[in-house]
Amino acid sequence: MSGPSDYQPSNPALQWIERRLPIIGLVHSSFVVYPTPRNLNYWWTFGAILSFMLGMQILTGVVLAMHYTPHADLAFKSVELIVRDVNYGWLLRNMHACGASMFFFAVYVHMLRGLYYGSYKEPREVLWILGVIIYLLMMATGFMGYVLPWGQMSFWGATVITNLFSAIPYVGESIVTLLWGGYSVGNPTLNRFFSLHYLLPFLIAGVVVLHVWALHVAGQNNPDGVEPKTEKDTVPFTPHATIKDGFGVACFLLLYAWFIFYMPNYLGDADNYIPANPGVTPPHIVPEWYYLPFYAILRSIPNKLAGVIGMFSAIIILCFLPWLDAAKTRSSKYRPLAKQFFWIFVAVCILLGYLGAQPPEGIYVIAGRVLTVCYFAYFLIVLPLLSRIETPRPVPNSISEAILAKGGKAVASVAIALVAAGALFLGSLQDARASEGSDRPPGNKWSFSGPFGKYDRGALQRGLKVYKEVCSSCHGLSYIAFRNLAEAGGPGYSVAQAAAFASDYKVKDGPNDAGDMFERPGRPADYFPSPFPNEQAARAANGGAAPPDLSLITKARSYGRGFPWFIFDFFTQYQEQGPDYVAAVLQGFEDKVPEGVTIPEGSYFNKYFPGHAIKMPKPLSDGQVTYDDGSPTTVAQYSKDVTTFLMWTAEPHMEARKRLGFQVFVFLIIFAGLMYFTKKKVWSDSH
Amino acid sequence: MNPDASTIAAGAPIEVDLTPVAEGQDIKVFWRGKPIYISHRTKKQIDEARAVNVASLPDPQSDEARVKPGHEQWLVVIGICTHLGCIPIAHEGNYDGFFCPCHGSQYDSSGRIRQGPAPANLPVPPYQFVSDTKIQIG
Ligand code: FES
């Protein structure tokens, strides 16, 4: 993209095209012969990783949009149907949802890299500002994408974020009405967000082209911050940079696949598995992890308008970075003070992220204020001051000199450091769910935990029996069809058995020719009928608290893991908060109410229920359901079985997910190894 | 991109019967997609709301100006936190009024902001009494 190319293809057909549209020459000059500094380290592969992620998000997003229904009444269900019924829909959805997080993770690394090595300095100011614009567009896209599943967090996140604009004096309210297309967040809001969520990625792609263009005009910065002077300082982009980027992408894919196949809900919020309800605000609204530092800044300023201004200026300030930091030396490698402050700044951002996920009270508020001041001080005081008082170490004359001086430093630890840092930062979200004074549910040994976990067929069949005989009198299971009982990875019934099971149920159908509704026996394609015709009826029949649908209950419930557990969870693949909680609640009923706890009339004491007062009476008692396989008929066994069953209803394709995950990992490790050795060979003469 | 005709039409006034709401209780109705709290205040709540020094409030407004004369026991407010739009919980917080779980704003028994990041009182929707036990919102 820099200057005309003198590339001449040898194939006459290509020559014919090239004379009319020199596109091959453009690619050739930009991505083949383009000189790239010889001393780039692996932090520079994040550019390629980000391009890859953008492509991935667009690709998976386009397919998801083919199956998604943007309507307030149907959106939640359509996402569930994607996961359950579309071929590899669970994979697409996980790739897209985790992909957003990985995209942001990579962009933060990319930005911090730029910050550390001074990549925003003359002559790369425009390049940097284009990057900030991409980041802003990404934030908007990510936010709107999070709204689309229309769960509780989607809805209330949308409410809180759109209300930010109401802080603008005079025109604020009308702007918010314009964003909503109504008097509150509702169906019109969902529709326009869907439209924009589809549009913005292509805008991002456009700005990325500008970003790459500007990069190829100014040339890449490098870890030593000295411009390449001679041929010796650079290597051609292909094969050197391409293969190195390829290896970087392969390593990144390993991390990405870890989330897709083993921890798909680690970064999400359990509340988003509850359909949006405009009448109930969740007790604790948390945005996605990548907004948390800014959310913390918003909350730590006690005035509404000032808080909103503070939050936005925390991002906008990045645009002015090239002029705030006037130091001549680019790379922090040669700036002893700047280097230390850089790492302090990184720590401040991570801590702000942690605080953003905490309840806004007490010590967290004060800490948030202190860190907000630190955040802005870094840009407004530290950087301008450092450029005046700091004496940098001498910078090498050229890149080749720098390489000779260095003499091969191992960078292999980078990947490990990345994983650890990422886990720490990302995991802070898990902490958001405060345990609210309830006891911690005890851990269980589940057959479905871990990378090779499988459902215990016997437990699924017994659990179904418990559900049918006990739970189903109050709780629905509306996302499960009878045919699911015969599907691979499920309770292991035959098609005929599932059909027989279905025919025991009466299903409402119609209208018939006479215009009347009628009842008929269930068919495999029918869904489990719900015990109540609507939510109001369910509420009225149960003392004001509607029994929740159980299809997703093990994913929609969780409890706070707290620091440092959420970090270990990342490595141990602990994902069973939901099942542990459900099993604990089923067994947590106690007749004797402990001292100091008052239980209102019509509620029951439960040790593990948040607030301890639960409307559901003790559902299970020993011997209530007969088992024909000789398993003990105890409350403990019932709870375990029905929880296993409900885990399956929440994720019927879990076995497929873990199985495919193993195959993908074997492939990726071999692939990354091959890439590494190819890269070594290609670079052998360049170091 | 402003609200379309059907959305506006659906926002027409609604009537609410107050007979079933006992003293000290409240109900939540939806109007224009917004939750409206109608609370039947106790004597204590009214006295508390009237005892404060209006000038000392973050958003000064007297309780008299927020209810209809002759119907002091009825408080009708839009249950949307003026901070960032969460739904405050009734009968919680330190002021016998509402408490917003999102960022901790607290409103008193007149729906006025007393503590926390919210800048304004809970707004009173347009409404009038069509009879002693029935109001029309909108
Ligand atoms: S939305 Fe109520 S305090 Fe922020």
Side-chain angles (χ1 to χ4, degrees):
Chain A
M1 291 189 185
S2 39
S5 161
D6 44 15
Y7 176 71
Q8 269 307 323
S10 47
N11 181 314
L14 292 183
Q15 270 172 11
W16 186 89
I17 296 174
E18 188 67 8
R19 240 176 296 129
R20 283 147 185 87
L21 179 74
I23 190 161
I24 306 165
L26 181 75
V27 171
H28 183 81
S29 65
S30 307
F31 299 108
V32 180
V33 288
Y34 178 74
T36 159
R38 252 174 74 180
N39 58 341
L40 296 189
N41 56 30
Y42 276 103
W43 299 112
W44 260 263
T45 58
F46 276 85
I49 290 172
L50 283 164
S51 317
F52 171 80
M53 286 311 302
L54 178 62
M56 203 62 152
Q57 289 301 87
I58 292 184
L59 220 68
T60 51
V62 167
V63 181
L64 284 172
M66 296 175 187
H67 300 284
Y68 171 75
T69 317
H71 186 282
D73 296 338
L74 307 171
F76 186 87
K77 184 151 194 199
S78 81
V79 171
E80 269 312 308
L81 293 185
I82 288 176
V83 171
R84 287 159 196 269
D85 289 343
V86 173
N87 294 325
Y88 288 100
W90 58 269
L91 178 61
L92 281 172
R93 194 210 174 182
N94 285 355
M95 280 169 83
H96 199 71
C98 301
S101 282
M102 297 305 353
F103 201 170
F104 272 96
F105 172 64
V107 93
Y108 283 131
V109 174
H110 193 65
M111 289 163 76
L112 288 173
R113 200 264 345 255
L115 203 60
Y116 185 82
Y117 292 113
S119 299
Y120 46 86
K121 291 187 183 182
E122 208 278 322
R124 299 187 179 86
E125 296 94 333
V126 172
L127 173 63
W128 173 261
I129 292 171
L130 284 169
V132 177
I133 293 174
I134 295 175
Y135 175 55
L136 277 174
L137 286 172
M138 274 176 66
M139 291 185 103
T141 314
F143 159 64
M144 292 195 233
Y146 192 57
V147 173
L148 301 184
W150 212 240
Q152 271 291 65
M153 273 302 157
S154 305
F155 183 89
W156 290 99
T159 302
V160 167
I161 303 293
T162 47
N163 263 308
L164 290 178
F165 294 92
S166 71
I168 305 171
Y170 307 117
V171 291
E173 292 297 332
S174 2
I175 292 182
V176 174
T177 312
L178 204 67
L179 284 174
W180 289 341
Y183 303 109
S184 56
V185 175
N187 193 45
T189 325
L190 177 60
N191 274 298
R192 56 195 59 189
F193 278 17
F194 179 55
S195 163
L196 292 175
H197 183 71
Y198 206 104
L199 168 72
L200 289 187
F202 297 98
L203 283 188
I204 294 181
V207 185
V208 166
V209 170
L210 295 181
H211 191 67
V212 174
W213 184 12
L215 172 75
H216 283 206
V217 171
Q220 282 167 293
N221 186 29
N222 59 71
D224 292 293
V226 289
E227 295 293 333
K229 297 196 178 81
T230 58
E231 281 263 304
K232 273 204 305 202
D233 291 344
T234 62
V235 286
F237 193 89
T238 302
H240 293 79
T242 2
I243 197 77
K244 194 168 176 175
D245 285 349
F247 176 58
V249 171
C251 291
F252 191 78
L253 276 177
L254 278 168
L255 178 68
Y256 184 20
W258 186 264
F259 281 110
I260 296 176
F261 294 106
Y262 295 129
M263 319 279 296
N265 294 313
Y266 183 69
L267 299 166
D269 197 297
D271 271 341
N272 226 24
Y273 281 108
I274 305 172
N277 181 350
V280 185
T281 313
H284 191 104
I285 295 190
V286 204
E288 286 285 78
W289 69 268
Y290 31 87
Y291 306 124
L292 285 176
F294 303 105
Y295 193 61
I297 291 177
L298 168 81
R299 294 197 311 189
S300 56
I301 303 177
N303 175 292
K304 180 173 173 183
L305 181 58
V308 173
I309 292 176
M311 179 170 116
F312 281 110
S313 42
I315 305 168
I316 300 302
I317 202 167
L318 293 171
C319 287
F320 299 96
L321 196 55
W323 296 279
L324 288 170
D325 175 14
K328 285 276 158 306
T329 312
R330 282 205 191 103
S331 170
S332 294
K333 219 167 140 183
Y334 302 103
R335 301 180 61 190
L337 286 178
K339 189 193 270 181
Q340 287 172 24
F341 278 107
F342 170 82
W343 288 112
I344 295 176
F345 174 72
V346 174
V348 166
C349 291
I350 293 176
L351 285 174
L352 272 175
Y354 179 75
L355 290 178
Q358 302 307 312
E361 46 194 34
I363 178 76
Y364 295 130
V365 177
I366 300 166
R369 295 201 177 135
V370 173
L371 290 172
T372 303
V373 171
C374 294
Y375 181 93
F376 284 104
Y378 178 73
F379 291 105
L380 296 174
I381 303 173
V382 174
L383 284 181
L385 203 65
L386 277 187
S387 55
R388 302 216 159 72
I389 60 166
E390 185 185 33
T391 27
R393 294 200 286 119
V395 170
N397 285 320
S398 70
I399 290 178
S400 27
E401 191 177 292
I403 289 177
L404 287 179
K406 188 178 82 171
K409 211 173 77 188
V411 217
S413 58
V414 162
I416 300 163
L418 274 185
V419 171
L424 182 77
F425 187 17
L426 313 186
S428 61
L429 190 71
Q430 293 295 313
D431 211 23
R433 227 112 282 290
S435 56
E436 286 164 45
S438 60
D439 297 31
R440 214 160 231 265
N444 292 286
K445 251 195 82 53
W446 298 111
S447 61
F448 49 82
S449 65
F452 302 106
K454 280 201 165 42
Y455 292 119
D456 171 352
R457 310 269 166 248
L460 287 182
Q461 299 189 354
R462 293 192 299 269
L464 172 63
K465 193 154 194 268
V466 175
Y467 168 76
K468 190 179 170 193
E469 290 177 21
V470 184
C471 321
S472 66
S473 56
C474 300
H475 293 276
L477 199 63
S478 47
Y479 294 126
I480 297 296
F482 299 116
R483 66 184 156 87
N484 295 134
L485 298 174
E487 275 163 18
Y493 286 116
S494 68
V495 177
Q497 278 171 314
F501 188 91
S503 61
D504 285 351
Y505 282 82
K506 287 266 162 292
V507 175
K508 209 177 188 121
D509 202 348
N512 60 13
D513 287 346
D516 300 323
M517 302 301 279
F518 60 93
E519 282 200 336
R520 59 161 173 79
R523 299 180 195 134
D526 290 324
Y527 287 83
F528 274 81
S530 294
F532 299 103
N534 53 50
E535 204 198 310
Q536 283 72 8
R539 199 177 288 282
N542 288 282
D549 191 273
L550 294 183
S551 317
L552 278 166
I553 202 80
T554 49
K555 276 177 163 183
R557 295 291 183 274
S558 184
Y559 64 92
R561 290 287 284 168
F563 183 83
W565 288 104
F566 64 81
I567 299 174
F568 302 149
D569 291 349
F570 173 80
F571 297 101
T572 58
Q573 297 188 354
Y574 177 77
Q575 286 269 285
E576 284 76 35
Q577 287 105 314
D580 281 346
Y581 171 81
V582 171
V585 164
L586 286 174
Q587 299 171 71
F589 288 88
E590 274 165 31
D591 294 334
K592 215 165 88 287
V593 178
E595 205 100 10
V597 184
T598 45
I599 298 299
E601 190 70 34
S603 294
Y604 303 88
F605 176 81
N606 190 305
K607 200 162 156 221
Y608 301 107
F609 190 72
H612 298 309
I614 191 168
K615 281 272 184 190
M616 170 171 77
K618 188 171 187 290
L620 297 166
S621 47
D622 288 343
Q624 191 178 0
V625 180
T626 48
Y627 281 159
D628 8 294
D629 63 355
S631 302
T633 52
T634 57
V635 170
Q637 184 66 32
Y638 292 152
S639 314
K640 202 160 179 196
D641 291 342
V642 82
T643 308
T644 307
F645 174 68
L646 291 177
M647 188 64 219
W648 169 74
T649 62
E651 197 181 351
H653 295 302
M654 188 209 70
E655 289 187 7
R657 159 164 75 84
K658 292 186 172 174
R659 194 170 51 238
L660 186 62
F662 181 68
Q663 293 161 358
V664 167
F665 260 86
V666 170
F667 169 78
L668 277 180
I669 288 170
I670 295 173
F671 180 68
L674 289 177
M675 285 303 259
Y676 178 70
F677 290 113
T678 323
K679 184 245 150 198
K680 250 189 122 129
K681 182 91 187 64
V682 167
W683 281 78
S684 57
D685 52 346
S686 311
H687 271 313
Chain B
M1 296 207 299
N2 261 325
D4 62 18
S6 70
T7 313
I8 294 171
I14 54 164
E15 281 194 357
V16 184
D17 180 18
L18 301 179
T19 11
V21 194
E23 184 168 305
Q25 279 192 337
D26 47 13
I27 52 166
K28 193 160 70 174
V29 296
F30 276 86
W31 176 64
R32 295 193 164 179
K34 293 178 177 160
I36 312 264
Y37 275 114
I38 304 174
S39 33
H40 193 163
R41 300 190 291 176
T42 59
K43 183 92 185 49
K44 176 166 160 279
Q45 282 181 306
I46 303 176
D47 291 345
E48 274 170 357
R50 307 219 152 166
V52 285
N53 174 7
V54 172
S56 70
L57 295 173
D59 181 9
Q61 216 180 6
S62 72
D63 184 55
E64 286 83 352
R66 296 175 54 81
V67 294
K68 301 281 177 206
H71 302 285
E72 282 80 16
Q73 70 274 40
W74 296 104
L75 176 76
V76 182
V77 286
I78 299 183
I80 292 186
C81 181
T82 54
H83 183 228
L84 294 173
C86 295
I87 299 184
I89 305 166
H91 298 300
E92 269 197 37
N94 303 333
Y95 299 93
D96 224 351
F98 305 86
F99 169 77
C100 179
C102 289
H103 314 98
S105 291
Q106 303 201 15
Y107 301 86
D108 66 10
S109 53
S110 186
R112 292 172 298 193
I113 178 68
R114 299 294 285 270
Q115 195 185 319
N121 302 335
L122 292 179
V124 177
Y127 74 97
Q128 67 260 3
F129 279 85
V130 286
S131 74
D132 262 357
T133 55
K134 196 176 249 180
I135 59 169
Q136 186 194 48
I137 301 175

